Amino acid sequence: MSNSTLPENSITKPATPPQKKEAQADPLTPSAGATSTPAQAGSRCCAICFAPGVSITLAMFGIAKDLHTSGMLYGLAVGQQSAIRIRAADHASARELTRQVQHFTSSKNSVIVLGPKTSTPPDYRSPEGRALISAVKPPECLIVALPSASKKTRWSDLDLTAFKQTIETDGVLSIATFQGLSKDEELLMLTCFDAVFTVSQCEPDEDFASAYMAAPMVGSLLAATGHKPQIENIRMTGGHIERQCQPCVSSDKLTREMYRMREEGRSMAEISDKLGFDKSTISRRLSALPYHLRRHCM
């Protein structure tokens, strides 16, 4: 990367390392990501930790659609991905994903869904399992859905590092999705991946069947810089998945409604009359919100 120059130019060398560091630093922070092209310098590896009960098929569909149509990952700009390769956790979810992605892309090559290369879900902790993951090249994006975690066998930092090295390719956005991890395993993600999200179930808004909330993991750079959680409301309409995504202040539907009404300028008395709750109950719920939210509505 550095140029070999004549001795008289050597006085400029101390400035070179900081310049190189700046060019590669924090490729996934909100201030750096708003580009529409899929290929960027350096590798970009994200992890998503799903809580038990979250449908991986629905979540993977949402991730792929947002990456393909808007270049967003739970509100984080990562660049629009014109070619996405999904490695599903099992054959059943691969079939359903293949059917559903046809509703938002007409090209079979723009989003490719692949099932495991084995009859049963592979163990990506082992070298044999990692060897089953085919490398991708720019401009493709890679999403790997890992089978649900086993309580008997946990991920170590060495396992995660080896797995990341397997899916990591220069200029490629790689996303690993995990389900059912322990708290200790989730914390390991922060030291290994560039951006880490947690996804958990929450109460859906009116007229939706289910919903989940995605937020940057507590302790991550995204969380520290104020990246807002997102809610994804989901329902089936005419045999295909319909989604509504927006910023989310709480997993509780009633608290979200109270917050929205306060943002509209409604008084505590008006909200009390509308929802049928005592003003002290409304105040208590809003007071439980994070400071950057409650300071706008209290």
Side-chain angles (χ1 to χ4, degrees):
M1 297 293 290
S2 61
N3 294 326
S4 177
T5 59
L6 294 174
E8 56 266 30
N9 294 334
S10 61
I11 57 173
T12 61
K13 286 184 178 180
T16 303
Q19 291 172 348
K20 180 179 177 183
K21 215 168 188 179
E22 279 181 12
Q24 295 179 347
D26 302 328
L28 285 170
T29 58
S31 60
T35 64
S36 59
T37 55
Q40 292 186 11
S43 62
R44 298 172 293 155
C45 284
C46 303
I48 303 172
C49 302
F50 294 106
V54 174
S55 169
I56 293 295
T57 303
L58 290 175
M60 294 280 282
F61 169 85
I63 293 168
K65 183 174 182 179
D66 289 343
L67 290 174
H68 180 70
T69 59
S70 61
M72 305 296 286
L73 177 63
Y74 297 135
L76 176 67
V78 293
Q80 190 170 351
Q81 308 296 310
S82 57
I84 301 171
R85 186 177 295 268
I86 302 174
R87 185 158 294 283
D90 54 69
H91 295 284
S93 60
R95 288 192 294 270
E96 181 61 20
L97 277 170
T98 300
R99 186 173 72 86
Q100 290 294 338
V101 297
Q102 297 172 357
H103 294 292
F104 68 82
T105 175
S106 57
S107 171
K108 291 184 178 180
N109 294 325
S110 59
V111 183
I112 301 172
V113 183
L114 304 169
K117 294 183 179 180
T118 55
S119 57
T120 57
D123 181 7
Y124 291 126
R125 296 175 183 82
S126 67
E128 296 78 15
R130 294 192 295 270
L132 298 174
I133 302 176
S134 302
V136 302
K137 298 179 180 179
E140 284 190 332
C141 163
L142 174 65
I143 306 174
V144 181
L146 284 86
S148 296
S150 167
K151 292 184 179 180
K152 294 181 179 179
T153 309
R154 292 297 188 182
W155 285 88
S156 68
D157 54 350
L158 293 177
D159 292 335
L160 284 173
T161 299
F163 176 75
K164 181 188 176 185
Q165 289 173 346
T166 300
I167 66 173
E168 193 174 37
T169 305
D170 198 41
V172 169
L173 173 64
S174 303
I175 301 172
T177 67
F178 301 82
Q179 186 169 39
L181 297 180
S182 68
K183 290 299 181 184
D184 289 340
E185 287 175 303
E186 288 186 352
L187 289 175
L188 289 176
M189 303 289 168
L190 292 175
T191 63
C192 189
F193 291 90
D194 300 314
V196 184
F197 291 91
T198 57
V199 177
S200 56
Q201 287 181 307
C202 69
E203 287 187 280
D205 286 324
E206 205 65 41
D207 298 329
F208 286 89
S210 62
Y212 58 78
M213 186 170 73
M217 184 176 287
V218 176
S220 68
L221 179 62
L222 281 179
T225 53
H227 185 78
K228 294 180 175 60
Q230 302 281 308
I231 183 173
E232 183 167 324
N233 289 294
I234 304 167
R235 62 188 171 200
M236 295 295 290
T237 304
H240 67 272
I241 301 167
E242 184 176 313
R243 304 160 58 240
Q244 179 199 71
C245 303
Q246 58 191 17
C248 183
V249 299
S250 173
S251 60
D252 179 72
K253 175 183 175 182
L254 186 58
T255 303
R256 293 199 302 269
E257 182 63 20
M258 292 173 178
Y259 181 85
R260 279 197 289 262
M261 293 178 74
R262 284 294 283 169
E263 283 218 307
E264 291 170 359
R266 307 280 189 92
S267 68
M268 291 288 194
E270 289 176 313
I271 298 174
S272 177
D273 291 340
K274 175 74 174 178
L275 301 180
F277 284 88
D278 188 85
K279 287 189 289 185
S280 62
T281 301
I282 299 169
S283 178
R284 186 170 60 252
R285 282 177 175 266
L286 295 177
S287 296
L289 293 173
Y291 172 74
H292 71 280
L293 295 172
R294 69 173 182 266
R295 67 192 178 97
H296 295 298
C297 64
M298 294 301 295

